[in-house]
Amino acid sequence: MTSATQMIVAMLIGFAVGIFFGESVGWLSTIGTGVILLMQMTVLPYIVVSLVGGIGKLKPDTAKLIFSRAGVIMLILWALGLLLVALMPLSFPFVESASFFSTSITEPVVEIDYFKLYIPSNPFESMAAGYVPAMVVFSIAMGLALIGMKGDNKTQLLAFMHTCGEIFGRITQGMVKVLPIGIFAMSASAAGTMGVDEFASMQVYLISYFALCLVLTFAVLPWIVASVTPITYWQTIQMSKASLVTAFATGNIFIVLPVIVEECKQVMKSHNTGGEDTDTLIEILVPIAFTFPNIGKLTVILFVYFCSWFNGTPIELLDQLSLSVSGLLALFGSVYVAIPFMLDLVHLPADLFQLFVMSGFITGKFNSITAVMNLFILTLLTAAMFQKNLKCFLPQLLKMTL
C-alpha cells in the first residue's frame, strides 16, 4: 500500500478500536505523541541547512532579481492568503459553549517574549527553545552573507549543507514509515475519549478548509493573473490542470516542478512574451519559490482558528496579527513543528494537535493543489513583471468580478 493508503487504513482501524473500547484506549495518545516528536526531531536543523544552502548558492544578480521582483509578489500573495485565512472563521457556526479539557489548561500562562521570538540574539537558545521565527531570521541572514563570498570554503560549506539536508531527508523518510502507527494510536484515543458533538465539530474545520483551498485555487489566484496579465482565466486553469490532478492524487508538489516550469514557458511564448531570459528566470524561480512557504501551506493556520472556536476562546485582533506573522515564519519548516508552536502562541491546549495530525493526510491533498496554483501564479506574475507587461486588463477584471 502507498503511504497515503496506509494512513487512511490506520485512521479507520483506529476509529473502530476507539469506538469499540471507549476510554480504555485513551492511553494510546502517548504513543501518538511519541511518533510525532520523532517526526519533529530533524525539522529545526533542516530549516537551517536548507535556507543557508538554498540562499547561499544564489548568484548576486539572481538573488537581487528574485528578492526585488518575485519577493514583492510573494509578499502580496502571502498577505492575501493570510487575510482570507483570518476571514474564514466568520463562516463558523455560532455555538453557545465549547470546551476541550487538557492538562495544559491548568498550567500558568507564560507571557511571550516577542524579542526572543523574532530576534536571534542567541541562535542556540532560539533553537533549544523552539523559537522558529528567530531561527528563520538567523538562517536567512547567514544565507545572504554567503551570497557575496567566494572560494573553496564557501563551496565546501554549501556541499556540507546539501549533504546534511539529504541526511535529514532520509531520516524523515524513515520516520514516515512509522507515522501510520501514530495515526492509529491518536485516532483510537480520540474516538474513545471524544463525544459525538466533538466529532461533529471536526466537520466545521474540514468543510471550511476544503472551501478555502478550492476558492483560492480556482477563483482568487487565477483571477489575479487574468486581471493584470494577458493570460486569461481559462488558460491558467488549462495549463495547470495536469499538475493539479497529480498533486491532489499524490499529495506531492515536488514531482510537478518540471511540469510547472515547462507550462509557464509555453504560456509566456503563446503571448509573445517569452524568450531566453524569461525561460532562464522561470527555471531559476520555480525551484527557489518551492523552498519558501506558499499559500497552500499558510492555509493550515485555519486549524488554529478552528481550535480557538472549538475551545471557546476567541483570538484577539492583536494576537491574530502575531499569529499571522509568527505562523508565516514558522511554516518555513514543517507543519508538525509550526502547529504546536502556534497553538502555544495563542495559549490553546497542545492536545488539539492530535486532531490536526488525524486530518492531515486529507487536508494535505487540498493544500497541495493550492500550493501548485500558487507556484504557477507567482511565476507568471514575476515573468510578466520582468517583461514589463503587468497592467490592469479591465475587461477580464470586470468579467471575473461579475
Side-chain angles (χ1 to χ4, degrees), residues 350-372:
D351 298 350
L352 289 167
F353 178 57
Q354 297 181 13
L355 301 180
F356 176 80
V357 176
M358 288 192 306
S359 61
F361 65 92
I362 299 176
T363 57
K365 291 182 176 295
F366 283 84
N367 72 44
S368 292
I369 63 174
T370 305
V372 167

Side-chain angles (χ1 to χ4, degrees), residues 123-262:
F124 301 102
E125 180 187 5
S126 299
M127 180 176 285
Y131 295 144
V132 182
M135 287 306 306
V136 171
V137 171
F138 173 71
S139 302
I140 292 176
M142 282 191 65
L144 292 174
L146 268 175
I147 291 176
M149 294 177 59
K150 297 180 180 180
D152 293 337
N153 289 337
K154 174 182 177 179
T155 304
Q156 293 173 4
L157 178 59
L158 291 177
F160 173 74
M161 293 294 176
H162 178 71
T163 302
C164 288
E166 289 186 341
I167 292 172
F168 297 144
R170 290 175 63 87
I171 294 174
T172 301
Q173 290 174 2
M175 292 299 99
V176 167
K177 295 179 180 179
V178 301
L179 185 57
I181 298 175
I183 290 178
F184 161 77
M186 287 183 287
S187 300
S189 175
T193 57
M194 291 177 62
V196 176
D197 292 340
E198 292 168 330
F199 270 116
S201 296
M202 277 298 294
Q203 298 178 23
V204 174
Y205 167 61
L206 293 176
I207 293 173
S208 60
Y209 189 86
F210 298 159
L212 174 63
C213 290
L214 292 175
V215 167
L216 282 167
T217 304
F218 296 106
V220 175
L221 294 176
W223 173 78
I224 293 174
V225 169
S227 300
V228 298
T229 72
I231 304 168
T232 66
Y233 171 86
W234 291 112
Q235 282 180 317
T236 306
I237 297 298
Q238 185 64 31
M239 73 171 182
S240 61
K241 182 170 60 177
S243 298
L244 293 175
V245 172
T246 303
F248 184 83
T250 63
N252 191 326
I253 308 169
F254 183 75
I255 61 176
V256 300
L257 294 185
V259 181
I260 295 174
V261 171
E262 293 304 318

Side-chain angles (χ1 to χ4, degrees), residues 299-311:
T299 56
V300 301
I301 299 177
L302 181 63
F303 178 77
V304 182
Y305 286 103
F306 162 75
C307 289
S308 71
W309 170 84
F310 183 65
N311 198 54

Side-chain angles (χ1 to χ4, degrees), residues 49 93 98 106 147 209 218 242 265 325 382:
V49 299
T106 61
I147 291 176
Y209 189 86
F218 296 106
K265 287 181 182 179
V325 176
T382 305

Side-chain angles (χ1 to χ4, degrees), residues 82 118 305 315-327:
L82 291 171
Y118 291 103
Y305 286 103
I315 302 176
E316 300 296 332
L317 180 59
L318 185 60
D319 291 331
Q320 289 183 22
L321 295 174
S322 174
L323 175 63
S324 297
V325 176
S326 301

